[in-house]
Amino acid sequence: MKISNELLHYLSLKGITDPDDQRRFLLPRLTDHYDPFSMKGMRETVEGLRGAVKEHHKILVWGHADLDGIASAAMFKFALEDLGAEKVGVRIPSREVEWFGLIPDELRELKASGVDLVVTVDIGVTNVAEAALARELGLGLIITDHHELMGKAPDTILINPKLPQSGYPWPQLAGAGVVLKLVCALYQYMVGMSVEELARLRPHYWMFAALGTISDRCPLLDENRLIVRVGLDHIRAGEWPSLEIWLEEMGFEAERLTVFDLYSRAISVFYAAEPEEGVRILLSRDRGWLRARYAELKERAMKWQRGKQWMIEEAERSALHIGGMVISVSEEIGEAYLGTTTHALRERYNRPAIVLVPKGNLWHAECRGLEQTDLLGYLSQFESIFLTFGGHRKACGFTLRPENLEEFLRALEANPIQLPQSQDKEEIVFELGIEKDLKDWALLAPFGEGNCSPRLLARGVHIEEAGEGYRADGIPIYLPFALRPLPQPDGRFDMEYTVKADGTIRVLRLVPIN
C-alpha cells in the first residue's frame, strides 16, 4: 500500500519524524520486537526455568485477578507445558481476597504440598516480605511483573521493564507483554525458535498478550502497538477456539473487531468468571463446553453492563473535589465496578480520580491519573496511611482501614496534587479533503489508549442522503444518529471526521456553509 505524504506529515505533527519510526508505526513487523534478553534478569530467569523443566520440578504460576493476569497465566502455563514441564498449576486468588499478591500462608502450604517453584505473572514486585519467606522456606520464586517498584525490590529472580537499569527499550509493557517476552526468550533458548517461527506456530501467545495489553489500558505505542496489531489480526482470523467462540457468543463480527469493542463490552465476560476459570476458558478447545459456558457468563456480563451506568451516576453524585482531584467514597458502588467508575470520573472531569468502596473490613481504592501527572508518585507520600499500595504512574490502587479514611482525605486537602496549568486535551485537527484514497490512514490503527483515531477536516463537502446511508462528495460516510437529519438537506458543510480501523469514514461534526 502506498503511504501518502499527508499521512507522513500527520505523523510528524505527532512527533514521529524518523522514517524508520514511521515505518514501524504504520507497518510493524515481527522482527521489530526488541531482544528479550536485553531485559535485566531475563537470562537468569530463562536458565532457572530450563533447569526446573529438565529436573521435573513442580511449578506453580501465580497470577493477578484481572484479565492481564489471567491472560498471562494462561500463556505461561501453555508455554511451560509445551516446552516439557509436567502439569503446571495455576493460582489466582479470587477478587474477593483482600491480600494483594503472594499470600504468606499459601506459600507455606505450597511448599508443604511439594511445589518447587512459584512464578508470578503481572504481580509480585512489591512482595518483599513474601519473597523473603519463600527463601526461608526453600521455595523457588521468580517474579515477572510490570508494576512500578515501590522502594526495595524483592530479593529473588525478577524481571520487570520498569526496574531501574532494566535496560529494556520499552518500559510500558503489560504484564502479558512481559510474559510474552519471557516466552519468546524460553523458546529461543531451549529449542532455538525465532520469534517469527513462534508467532506462526503459536499465534495464541500474541492473542493473549493483546488481551492483556488492551484490558490493562497500556499505551498502544511502540512494542505494545506491535503486540496488539499482531494479536488482533490472529483473533480476527479465528485462530484460537476459545477466542473465536467468545466473539461469536458476544455477537461481534471478528473481522471488524476493534480495541473499543474489547474495552466496552467484550472483555466483561472474563470478569463474570472466577480468575482461575478464566485461565481454563482461554486454554480450552472444547467447543461445546465453551459455547455453554460463555452463554452462562454472558448473562452475568449483561447484568454487569446494566448496572454500570447506575454505578457511574452514583460515583458522580458522591464526587468530591479535594486537593485537585475528584474523589468518590461510596458504599453503594459495587467492587466489580471500581475500575470502570474511576475511569469514568477521570474522563468526566479531566482530573485525576479516586473511587473508594468498602470490601470486607477495608476500604479499597482505584486511582486513575492523567498523561501529564505521576499519580503513583504523588500518592506515595501517603503510603504510611495505606495497608497495601502499588500500580503504575497513571493507574494504581490501595487499601486502608476505616479509621484511616478521614486522615487520608485531610492529607489530600493539605497536600494538593500539582497539575499542569492547562488540562485541556489537545488534539490535532488535520485538514484533509476526502477526494483522496484514505485507506492508508487505517494503518494508524489500532486506536486506543495513547493512540487516538485521527481528527480530520474536509471543507465545503456536499453531503446527501443516498438510500439507507449518506455520501460526501459521492463517497460513502457514516453519519451518527446524533447528527441526523442533516440541518440542510443536500447542503455543503465543513466536515470533521475520522477514519476507522476498517477504513470507514465516520463524521464527528458538521458546520453548515451558507
Side-chain angles (χ1 to χ4, degrees):
M1 179 184 295
K2 187 178 187 304
I3 307 300
S4 65
N5 290 331
E6 290 87 353
L7 178 54
L8 295 177
H9 181 49
Y10 176 81
L11 286 180
S12 70
L13 294 176
K14 289 170 65 71
I16 305 172
T17 57
D18 181 80
D20 188 54
D21 290 341
Q22 291 178 337
R23 194 277 307 159
R24 290 180 78 246
F25 192 92
L26 297 174
L27 300 167
R29 299 189 287 250
L30 285 166
T31 51
D32 292 332
H33 269 303
Y34 298 122
D35 179 5
F37 288 100
S38 66
M39 194 181 302
K40 183 180 179 182
M42 184 65 76
R43 189 164 298 278
E44 185 182 8
T45 299
V46 167
E47 289 173 351
L49 287 167
R50 183 179 70 166
V53 171
K54 287 194 170 184
E55 295 296 323
H56 305 288
H57 286 175
K58 190 174 181 180
I59 303 172
L60 181 125
V61 178
W62 189 297
H64 189 198
D66 63 5
L67 184 51
D68 190 17
I70 293 167
S72 298
M75 185 195 327
F76 199 49
K77 172 182 169 65
F78 188 102
L80 286 174
E81 293 177 350
D82 193 41
L83 289 167
E86 296 174 4
K87 187 171 176 59
V88 175
V90 171
R91 176 69 178 119
I92 305 180
S94 165
R95 299 179 186 96
E96 300 304 314
V97 173
E98 294 183 358
W99 198 269
F100 185 79
L102 296 165
I103 301 173
D105 286 346
E106 291 201 23
L107 292 179
R108 296 185 181 94
E109 292 170 5
L110 290 171
K111 178 62 179 177
S113 69
V115 170
D116 300 295
L117 174 64
V118 173
V119 184
T120 74
V121 293
D122 189 35
I123 206 160
V125 74
T126 61
N127 289 141
V128 175
E130 292 77 12
L133 174 61
R135 181 177 292 274
E136 178 186 321
L137 294 170
L139 177 63
L141 176 63
I142 294 173
I143 291 175
T144 79
D145 202 352
H146 73 131
H147 294 93
E148 300 283 352
L149 178 65
M150 305 297 297
K152 182 182 176 184
D155 183 16
T156 191
I157 299 174
L158 169 63
I159 56 171
N160 183 334
K162 288 195 176 85
L163 289 179
Q165 293 83 47
S166 163
Y168 198 69
W170 176 243
Q172 301 299 324
L173 290 170
V178 176
V179 172
L180 177 65
K181 303 307 298 187
L182 174 55
V183 167
C184 289
L186 276 170
Y187 277 86
Q188 179 183 333
Y189 191 75
M190 294 181 68
V191 296
M193 189 178 292
S194 69
V195 67
E196 297 95 327
E197 291 176 289
L198 187 60
R200 179 171 55 84
L201 296 173
R202 302 288 185 268
H204 55 289
Y205 294 158
W206 275 260
M207 298 157 84
F208 292 174
L211 286 183
T213 303
I214 291 168
S215 66
D216 227 42
R217 295 185 179 271
C218 295
L220 299 185
L221 301 170
D222 208 287
E223 195 167 27
N224 287 347
R225 178 176 171 79
L226 170 58
I227 290 169
V228 170
R229 193 151 175 179
V230 173
L232 281 181
D233 283 347
H234 287 303
I235 291 172
R236 292 181 185 121
E239 295 182 31
W240 190 251
S242 64
L243 298 183
E244 177 190 4
I245 294 169
W246 163 55
L247 294 180
E248 289 177 5
E249 291 297 317
M250 294 300 290
F252 287 101
E253 296 179 55
E255 65 274 11
R256 299 175 69 89
L257 184 71
T258 67
V259 169
F260 178 76
D261 293 332
L262 296 175
Y263 277 154
S264 62
R265 195 157 56 88
I267 64 175
S268 61
V269 70
F270 288 100
Y271 289 98
E274 284 297 310
E276 289 177 11
E277 187 190 13
V279 173
R280 181 187 171 198
I281 288 170
L282 282 177
L283 293 179
S284 176
R285 305 188 200 194
D286 184 338
R287 291 176 175 270
W289 178 79
L290 283 167
R291 289 191 188 281
R293 191 63 184 126
Y294 276 135
E296 295 169 353
L297 294 173
K298 182 180 176 181
E299 287 299 315
R300 293 189 201 172
M302 290 175 66
K303 182 179 179 181
W304 182 90
Q305 289 284 350
R306 288 192 291 269
K308 182 173 74 170
Q309 188 56 42
W310 188 93
M311 295 292 178
I312 291 173
E313 290 171 0
E314 167 60 21
E316 292 181 350
R317 280 193 295 269
S318 58
L320 303 170
H321 293 264
I322 301 175
M325 305 180 68
V326 183
I327 315 291
S328 171
V329 181
S330 175
E331 296 184 4
E332 302 300 321
I333 297 173
E335 195 269 337
Y337 295 90
L338 250 182
T340 297
T341 52
T342 311
H343 178 77
L345 283 185
R346 183 192 69 178
E347 294 300 298
R348 168 71 173 81
Y349 295 101
N350 197 27
R351 288 289 183 272
I354 300 177
V355 176
L356 295 106
V357 302
K359 180 180 173 184
N361 297 319
L362 302 173
W363 284 95
H364 282 237
E366 284 281 348
C367 318
R368 297 291 183 271
L370 302 174
E371 192 65 45
Q372 309 95 319
T373 57
D374 180 1
L375 183 58
L376 185 74
Y378 165 73
L379 290 172
S380 66
Q381 66 183 304
F382 312 121
E383 192 171 357
S384 62
I385 303 175
F386 304 146
L387 189 62
T388 60
F389 174 54
H392 313 285
R393 288 180 70 255
K394 286 175 54 184
C396 53
F398 61 83
T399 60
L400 49 73
R401 295 185 175 89
E403 59 267 27
N404 297 127
L405 177 58
E406 288 301 323
E407 178 188 0
F408 171 62
L409 296 178
R410 287 195 300 270
L412 283 181
E413 187 72 56
N415 301 276
I417 190 169
Q418 297 300 310
L419 298 174
Q421 287 187 351
S422 173
Q423 286 297 305
D424 294 331
K425 297 180 180 180
E426 296 183 7
E427 293 186 77
I428 300 168
V429 179
F430 189 82
E431 191 164 332
L432 182 70
I434 60 171
E435 71 279 0
K436 294 180 175 293
D437 184 351
L438 300 177
K439 290 180 181 177
D440 58 332
W441 285 76
L443 295 174
L444 293 170
F447 303 121
E449 196 79 15
N451 183 43
C452 297
S453 57
R455 298 184 72 91
L456 307 172
L457 176 64
R459 295 191 181 277
V461 297
H462 175 248
I463 299 180
E464 60 182 346
E465 192 168 353
E468 296 183 358
Y470 291 83
R471 290 180 177 270
D473 288 347
I475 297 172
I477 60 173
Y478 174 73
L479 190 68
F481 288 103
L483 298 179
R484 303 179 191 179
L486 288 170
Q488 52 186 50
D490 290 341
R492 289 198 170 272
F493 302 84
D494 286 343
M495 181 180 80
E496 196 171 310
Y497 68 100
T498 190
V499 179
K500 297 174 65 178
D502 61 2
T504 303
I505 294 175
R506 179 187 176 91
V507 179
L508 302 174
R509 191 165 69 98
L510 292 174
V511 178
I513 298 176
N514 296 325

